[in-house]
Amino acid sequence: MALLDGATYGQMDTFKYKVFVSTWNVGGISPTDDLNLEDWLDTDRSSYDIYVLGFQEIVPLCARNVLGPEKSKISTKWNSLIGTTLNKSEPARYQVYHVEEGGYRGVSNRRKFRCVMSKQMVGIFVTLWVRDDLSNYISYPSVSCIGCGIMGCLRNKGSVSLRFCLHETSFCFVCCHLASGGKQGDEVHRNADFMDILSRTRFGSDSSVDLPKKILNHDRVVLFGDLNYRISMTDGKTRSLVERKEWGVLLDRDQLRFELSEGRAFDGWNEGAITFSPTYKYLPNSDEYCWHAQGRKGEKSRAPAWCDRILWLGEGLKQNRYERCESKLSDHRAVRAVFTAEVDVLKLMNPLDGFFLSHNLDDIVDITRRMEEQI
C-alpha cells in the first residue's frame, strides 16, 4: 500500500488472527453437489480470519492419475463447495432500524471469504481462504510441490506447500501425504519423506525483497496431512484398547510421538494433546473400523491409527483447539486445529511524528524561531 505523503513507518504493532487448519484424506471419493461442509468448516462460529484446507486422495492414486496430466475438475468442485459454504447467506443475527426505509432490516455479521491461492498435485490439494477485507494484506504468495512417492520422485506421495506474507510476517503451510504401510519399520520411510520434503521444498522470491526460501526459514510454520504413522502394537491388542477407549496407552505406542521423542523426525515441532479416537481406517459411510471388514469385497482390514495430524513450529502460534470431525465420506476422519497467530504490523506514523523523530531538539527550536521571524 502507498504511504501517505510525508508519512513514514515506525514501530511494530502485533495483531492476532484466528487461523483454521484442517486435513482430510477423502479416499478418492468425489464430493456430491449437496455435500454439507458446514460442520467441518465450523461456520456457526463464523469467527475465523484464515482457512487453510488440505486434502489427500482427491482422486484415486492409480497409474493414470499419477502419470497422466493433472485433472482439476475435482479440485475446482471442492473449491466451489468451500466457497459456497463459507460465503453462504444466513438469517439475520440482529435488527437495525433504517430511517430511510422506515423500519427494521436484518443484518448478518457473517464474514465474506476469498480464495487467495490453491494448488493440486495429483491427489494432494491445498486451498487458502482469507477474509475479504484481509486479502489486501496478503503478499508474495508462492507454491512448492515435492513428489516423493514411487522411485522417490513420483507424485502419488509428497507435499504441497503454500507460502505467503501477512503484513510483515511470513507463513508456510505444508500439506503432506507420507509413505503408507503398517509393517514394522515402515515409519522409517515416513521419516525419510519428511526429511526429503524439508530439504527439497524451495520457494521462488522477488529479487528486490528478502523472502524466506525454505520451510524452516518462515516465521510461522504448520505441517499437516495424512502422515500415515501407525501404532506399534499387534492388531489384536490395538483393537482391544480401542474398544475400551484407552487412548493414553495407545498413544504411548504411537509411531509419530516415538520418532519425535527420539529425535529421528520432527525435532522441535509441536503437536496438541490428542483426546479423540483414531482417525483411520473406517468403512465408508460407517462408524465401524475396518477390522470388521473380513469378507467385505474390496475392503482391507487395518488396525486403527492416528494417521491424520497437524503440527507446528516456532513462536507466535498458539493452538486453541485440536479435534477430529465426523463426516463419514471416506475411510479417514478429517482433523482440524484452530490457532491464534501473532502478526507483526508496521505502524504508519503521522508526518509530524516522522519530523520530530528525524530532528533533534536544537534543530526544532531553530526551525521554530525562523518560522516566527517570518510571520
Side-chain angles (χ1 to χ4, degrees), residues 354-361 363-364 367:
F355 172 80
F356 286 117
L357 283 175
S358 60
H359 293 79
N360 60 41
L361 181 60
D363 289 336
I364 294 170
I367 292 170

Side-chain angles (χ1 to χ4, degrees), residues 230-233 237 248-258:
R230 310 301 172 90
I231 298 169
S232 294
M233 193 178 288
K237 190 169 184 181
V249 179
L250 287 163
L251 285 166
D252 285 341
R253 303 297 296 274
D254 175 74
Q255 290 177 351
L256 175 54
R257 290 196 166 190
F258 185 76

Side-chain angles (χ1 to χ4, degrees), residues 21-279:
V21 180
S22 185
T23 175
W24 194 2
N25 185 323
V26 295
I29 299 172
S30 299
T32 58
D33 292 335
D34 60 350
L35 180 64
N36 191 323
L37 301 181
E38 292 183 9
D39 181 65
W40 173 46
L41 298 177
D42 200 23
T43 54
D44 282 345
R45 293 178 185 252
S46 190
S47 59
Y48 306 113
D49 302 298
I50 299 172
Y51 281 86
V52 187
L53 309 173
F55 297 84
Q56 304 81 44
E57 297 188 43
I58 64 166
V59 296
L61 300 182
C62 59
R64 181 175 59 185
N65 288 332
V66 173
L67 301 174
E70 209 84 85
K71 297 179 179 178
S72 61
K73 181 179 178 181
I74 301 300
S75 59
T76 300
K77 187 169 185 179
W78 275 111
N79 246 4
S80 176
L81 287 169
I82 292 164
T84 299
T85 303
L86 292 181
N87 294 313
K88 186 177 180 180
S89 60
E90 64 178 6
R93 298 285 184 87
Y94 53 90
Q95 300 286 318
V96 174
Y97 187 83
H98 289 261
V99 176
E100 306 86 6
E101 299 177 16
Y104 286 91
R105 184 162 60 91
V107 176
S108 168
N109 63 356
R110 172 165 286 181
R111 301 171 175 185
K112 295 296 183 182
F113 287 85
R114 176 186 300 181
C115 181
V116 173
M117 57 195 303
S118 62
K119 180 64 178 176
Q120 178 185 357
M121 182 187 77
V122 188
I124 302 175
F125 175 57
V126 191
T127 181
L128 169 67
W129 293 75
V130 303
R131 269 185 13 231
D132 192 58
D133 60 317
L134 195 60
S135 61
N136 289 333
Y137 302 100
I138 300 286
S139 59
Y140 306 111
S142 186
V143 176
S144 180
C145 299
I146 300 297
C148 50
I150 301 168
M151 298 184 292
C153 62
L154 292 188
R155 297 185 166 194
N156 59 307
K157 294 292 193 294
S159 66
V160 174
S161 301
L162 305 185
R163 186 279 305 282
F164 62 90
C165 294
L166 174 57
H167 293 290
E168 304 303 313
T169 300
S170 61
F171 285 80
C172 184
F173 291 89
V174 186
C175 181
C176 301
H177 194 184
L178 305 185
S180 59
K183 299 190 299 296
Q184 185 175 357
D186 282 341
E187 64 272 20
V188 175
H189 302 302
R190 296 185 263 278
N191 294 350
D193 283 354
F194 165 70
M195 296 305 297
D196 198 24
I197 289 165
L198 283 188
S199 64
R200 291 170 54 201
T201 298
R202 188 175 182 86
F203 298 98
S205 65
D206 187 323
S207 59
S208 64
V209 182
D210 184 21
L211 294 169
K213 297 179 176 64
K214 306 291 288 181
I215 291 172
L216 300 182
N217 298 145
H218 291 78
D219 299 316
R220 313 283 182 260
V221 184
V222 178
L223 183 144
F224 59 118
D226 180 0
L227 306 188
N228 253 321
Y229 286 93
R230 310 301 172 90
I231 298 169
S232 294
M233 193 178 288
T234 64
D235 287 2
K237 190 169 184 181
T238 300
R239 174 177 176 172
S240 175
L241 290 169
V242 168
E243 288 177 338
R244 299 202 301 269
K245 297 184 179 182
E246 296 192 22
W247 310 141
V249 179
L250 287 163
L251 285 166
D252 285 341
R253 303 297 296 274
D254 175 74
Q255 290 177 351
L256 175 54
R257 290 196 166 190
F258 185 76
E259 297 302 300
L260 196 156
S261 67
E262 293 294 309
R264 290 196 285 260
F266 299 98
D267 189 29
W269 291 73
N270 305 290
E271 184 181 23
I274 294 177
T275 59
F276 48 86
S277 53
T279 57

Side-chain angles (χ1 to χ4, degrees), residues 282-295:
Y282 285 90
L283 293 169
N285 298 309
S286 171
D287 286 322
E288 286 188 74
Y289 286 110
C290 242
W291 62 44
H292 299 296
Q294 292 88 347

Side-chain angles (χ1 to χ4, degrees), residues 289-362:
Y289 286 110
C290 242
W291 62 44
H292 299 296
Q294 292 88 347
R296 296 201 184 189
K297 185 177 180 180
E299 294 294 343
K300 297 178 180 179
S301 178
R302 292 285 187 270
W306 286 277
C307 290
D308 310 279
R309 313 286 275 268
I310 301 173
L311 296 89
W312 78 95
L313 188 67
E315 302 296 325
L317 283 173
K318 178 185 177 183
Q319 190 182 78
N320 304 313
R321 292 162 58 198
Y322 190 32
E323 59 200 13
R324 62 176 244 169
C325 307
E326 298 305 324
S327 173
K328 301 173 185 177
L329 179 70
S330 76
D331 54 357
H332 288 252
R333 294 293 186 262
V335 171
R336 66 188 178 196
V338 175
F339 295 93
T340 299
E342 294 183 353
V343 172
D344 292 330
V345 181
L346 281 171
K347 287 183 180 179
L348 183 61
M349 298 190 304
N350 184 291
L352 285 177
D353 293 338
F355 172 80
F356 286 117
L357 283 175
S358 60
H359 293 79
N360 60 41
L361 181 60
D362 290 338

